[in-house]
Structure formats: C-alpha cells, structure tokens
C-alpha cells in the first residue's frame, strides 16, 4: 500500500489540488489492517472526508492541474496535523473509541510517520515546488451534524489563516454571489492550525492558498462530486483573478 496517490502530475495548470483525508484505508501492517472499530464507523467522517476525493479529482481535471491525495485513513495518522500535535493519532473521535490507537507508543507513531505521513508530505512538497506561482487548494468535507451538536447549515465553508487570507476572502466573496449557497467563513472549523498541510506547504512559502470544505451529504455520489468539482473550478479562477 502506498502513502499517496497523484493524478495528472504532468498537467500544466498552476493549481495544486490536495485531499488530505481522501480514503478510509488501513494498511495491513497497522493492527492487521483493522483499527478495532466496525464498518459503520469506518464509513463515517471520522475515518475520512466522505466525497472529498471525487471532488478533488474533478476539480483537478477542470483546472488542468495535479491532484495529490493521501491513501490512508486519518484514524491511522492525520496528515493535516503537525507532527507534535496531540490529535495526530486520535484515540477518541466524535464518540468512538479507536482501540488500535488507545495504547500506541512513540515507536508506533514513528512508524506511521515514516511510512505514511512523511512520504505524503514529501510528495506535496515536490508538487508544490514544481513552479514558482503554484496555488494550493485543499479539498475537505464535513458532516452535517456532530453527535450531540446543532446541525450545520453551511453548504460549503472556506477556511483560512490570518497569516494569508487573500485567496480565501476573495473566494468567499465569489461563493456568496451564488444565491443557492450558504457559505461559511472559517466554518465549521478555524482555518489556522500550526503545522497543518496548508501551513507546511503554502503559508511558510508565501504561496496563494485556500481550503474548501463541502458538506458531505451534498457529495455522497460520484455524480454530485463531479458536479461540485466542475462548479468550484471557475469560481476559484474568478477568486484568484481578484487577488493575483
């Protein structure tokens, strides 16, 4: 099992589309390929960003730009966290205990870093450095409602860091011109997490960037994922034209 998947590496576009939580796969060398939770939980948002990979793939095709995706579950190790982040390997997530992670030691974490996390980030770094004007758009999805919480009204959220809000602010403006969309500004999460993928590959290098979160019930089918990718591509281009 590889740590990542790249689609369209030779595409000439200046965008780099990333999907940090593309799959719920668990390598067979991690607890025998079973984290100790059932198929229902492995199919939930706690294991991966439902629908995000299909959106990212369609978006990359529409932008004629490369797409880089992780090829392991976020429950194995989360590539959108810094190496020293306490949530790098989750032991409890949205009410579900992860048995294979409960007693993991530093050696176990280091193996996952070496075999999965770092190769994925090495691939991102290589693709981000392929031209000086690369723009990174990270594609994620979010669940309509966390356990015990209020429903989330947004169709799409744009996350950004106070260190560089240029493209995200422009994208929010463009998206809010779409009358059928409820758009979140740094919702449903804050967009700045030191050591995350955007921080590591965009903010530290001065690269234009944004992170798009689509509500996962809206992208549950391949057709819906393709439609969202096709819809987002021209809106991203419009936003980039406002700040470039």
């Amino acid at each position: 099992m590889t740590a990542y998947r790249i689609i369209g590496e030779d595409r000439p576009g200046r965008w780099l589309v990333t999907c940090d939580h593309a799959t719920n796969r668990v390598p067979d060398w991690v607890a025998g390929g079973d984290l100790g939770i059932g198929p229902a939980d492995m199919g939930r948002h706690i294991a991966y960003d439902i629908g995000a990979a299909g959106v990212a793939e369609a978006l990359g095709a529409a932008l004629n730009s490369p797409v880089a995706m992780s090829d392991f579950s976020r429950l194995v190790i989360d590539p959108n966290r810094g190496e020293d982040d306490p949530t790098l390997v989750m032991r409890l997530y949205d009410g579900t205990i992860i048995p294979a992670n409960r007693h993991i030691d530093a050696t176990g974490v280091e193996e996952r870093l070496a075999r999965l996390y770092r190769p994925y980030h090495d691939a991102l770094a290589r693709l981000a450095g392929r031209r000086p004007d690369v723009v990174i758009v990270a594609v994620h999805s979010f669940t309509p409602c966390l356990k015990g919480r209020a429903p989330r009204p947004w169709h799409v959220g744009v996350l950004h860091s106070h260190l560089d809000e240029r493209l995200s602010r422009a994208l929010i403006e463009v998206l809010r011109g779409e009358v059928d969309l409820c758009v979140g500004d740094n919702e449903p999460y804050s967009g700045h997490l030191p050591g995350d993928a955007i921080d590591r590959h965009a903010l530290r290098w001065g690269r234009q960037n944004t992170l798009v979160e689509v509500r996962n019930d809206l992208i549950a089918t391949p057709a819906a994922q393709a439609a969202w990718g096709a819809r987002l591509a021209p809106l991203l281009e419009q936003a980039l034209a406002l700040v470039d």
Side-chain angles (χ1 to χ4, degrees), residues 123-222:
L124 261 58
R126 177 171 54 79
L127 289 169
R130 76 189 192 284
R131 51 186 288 175
D133 61 347
V134 160
V135 182
I136 297 177
V137 54
V139 178
H140 292 255
S141 71
F142 64 95
T143 185
C145 189
L146 290 170
K147 289 185 177 180
R149 306 284 184 89
R152 292 161 159 176
W154 311 282
H155 300 108
V156 60
V158 179
L159 308 192
H160 49 88
S161 167
H162 64 283
L163 298 174
D164 184 359
E165 301 176 327
R166 294 170 294 166
L167 181 56
S168 292
R169 289 291 182 197
L171 181 59
I172 290 167
E173 178 183 338
V174 169
L175 284 168
R176 286 182 172 167
E178 302 285 295
V179 296
D180 61 326
L181 294 182
C182 178
V183 181
D185 179 349
N186 256 351
E187 299 285 359
Y189 314 105
S190 169
H192 181 63
L193 191 62
D196 69 8
I198 287 290
D199 181 43
R200 185 167 179 161
H201 300 288
L203 297 177
R204 297 179 188 178
W205 299 86
R207 294 178 178 127
Q208 294 270 23
N209 67 90
T210 191
L211 190 154
V212 177
E213 291 261 5
V214 184
R215 206 175 69 207
N216 66 26
D217 60 320
L218 304 177
I219 51 173
T221 66

Side-chain angles (χ1 to χ4, degrees), residues 3-120:
Y4 58 87
R5 187 162 65 99
I6 297 173
I7 301 167
E9 184 166 1
D10 296 332
R11 291 172 182 163
R14 67 181 289 198
W15 296 85
L16 171 57
V17 182
T18 67
C19 190
D20 298 325
H21 304 140
T23 179
N24 60 358
R25 294 188 183 98
V26 179
D28 57 10
W29 51 267
V30 175
D34 186 344
L35 295 176
I37 63 177
D41 271 327
M42 286 303 296
R44 294 175 63 214
H45 67 96
I46 64 171
Y48 73 122
D49 280 356
I50 297 165
V55 175
E57 189 167 351
L59 184 58
L63 294 170
N64 200 20
S65 295
V67 181
M69 302 182 182
S70 69
D71 201 20
F72 52 92
S73 172
R74 67 192 300 170
L75 292 180
V76 175
I77 192 164
D78 193 334
N80 197 35
R81 297 292 185 271
E83 291 197 15
D84 58 352
D85 192 299
T87 65
L88 180 69
V89 177
M90 292 290 282
R91 292 162 172 82
L92 173 69
Y93 196 169
D94 195 23
T96 296
I97 294 171
I98 318 303
N101 294 347
R102 287 190 70 185
H103 304 295
I104 191 170
D105 59 13
T107 300
V109 173
E110 177 59 32
E111 182 178 23
R112 298 184 194 186
L113 284 167
R115 296 181 68 170
L116 298 170
Y117 179 104
R118 291 178 188 138
Y120 173 66

